[in-house]
Amino acid sequence: MAGPREITPDLARMVGEACIGTRIQRAARSVSRVYDAAFRTVGISGWQFTLLMTLAGPETPTINELAARLSLDPSTATTNLKVLERRGLVAVGVDESDRRVRRLTLTEAGRALIAEALPRWEEAQKESLGRLSAGEIGVLRKALAALAE
């Protein structure tokens, strides 16, 4: 095993330019700003829209199932969901077959809010994807799916 390397400005620059983690974080922050700005008019963030839209699906997941689906720590999911629950957008109910299990559902107010937010999502999606060619979009989606596994 080699000893510690000297951290030089050239090494720092090289790592900064090559690091996929840094590149993805920068891209994520840039794209998140677009979505957050779009949803600001309906009083939610891009991340809250993602949570609400995930709950609009056919399943009524547990917090752990939702966290796994979104690659979140369950405590982070819980913290984010409590905000939406306080606003009446999400309900936490008891599972019919196992009363120890809590299931998440989107309320009617939550459905109404994401219906109102959907045109803003379409605008943000168009703006974000407009930076790329059709071929780049396909490659990006495939690459992101591979990295998320």
Side-chain angles (χ1 to χ4, degrees):
M1 183 168 122
R5 291 174 66 182
E6 182 182 353
I7 307 302
T8 65
D10 287 340
L11 176 63
R13 185 174 27 265
M14 186 275 301
V15 169
E17 291 171 0
C19 183
I20 190 72
T22 300
R23 297 268 177 160
I24 289 173
Q25 289 170 349
R26 284 181 188 159
R29 283 191 294 272
S30 176
V31 171
S32 291
R33 281 191 292 272
V34 171
Y35 286 86
D36 286 343
F39 294 127
R40 195 168 291 122
T41 59
V42 294
I44 59 173
S45 68
W47 183 240
Q48 289 171 328
F49 178 82
T50 298
L51 286 170
L52 293 169
M53 192 56 80
T54 302
L55 293 175
E59 301 168 2
T60 54
T62 65
I63 290 175
N64 287 342
E65 291 167 347
L66 179 72
R69 191 172 304 148
L70 297 173
S71 298
L72 289 175
D73 180 87
S75 64
T76 301
T78 299
T79 300
N80 285 279
L81 287 164
K82 284 188 183 295
V83 172
L84 299 174
E85 185 182 15
R86 279 193 298 271
R87 289 184 57 191
L89 305 173
V90 172
V92 180
V94 176
D95 184 272
E96 292 177 8
S97 62
D98 185 345
R99 300 198 52 80
R100 296 170 296 175
V101 175
R102 299 292 179 253
R103 297 263 170 209
L104 304 168
T105 56
L106 191 61
T107 64
E108 286 306 312
R111 286 189 184 285
L113 182 67
I114 60 173
E116 183 182 353
L118 196 56
R120 288 152 181 90
W121 172 82
E122 291 169 333
E123 293 166 9
Q125 187 82 343
K126 183 177 178 183
E127 180 179 339
S128 296
L129 294 178
R131 302 174 188 181
L132 304 171
S133 70
E136 289 170 329
I137 293 168
V139 169
L140 176 64
R141 284 188 171 127
K142 196 171 191 176
L144 290 173
L147 288 171
E149 291 180 357

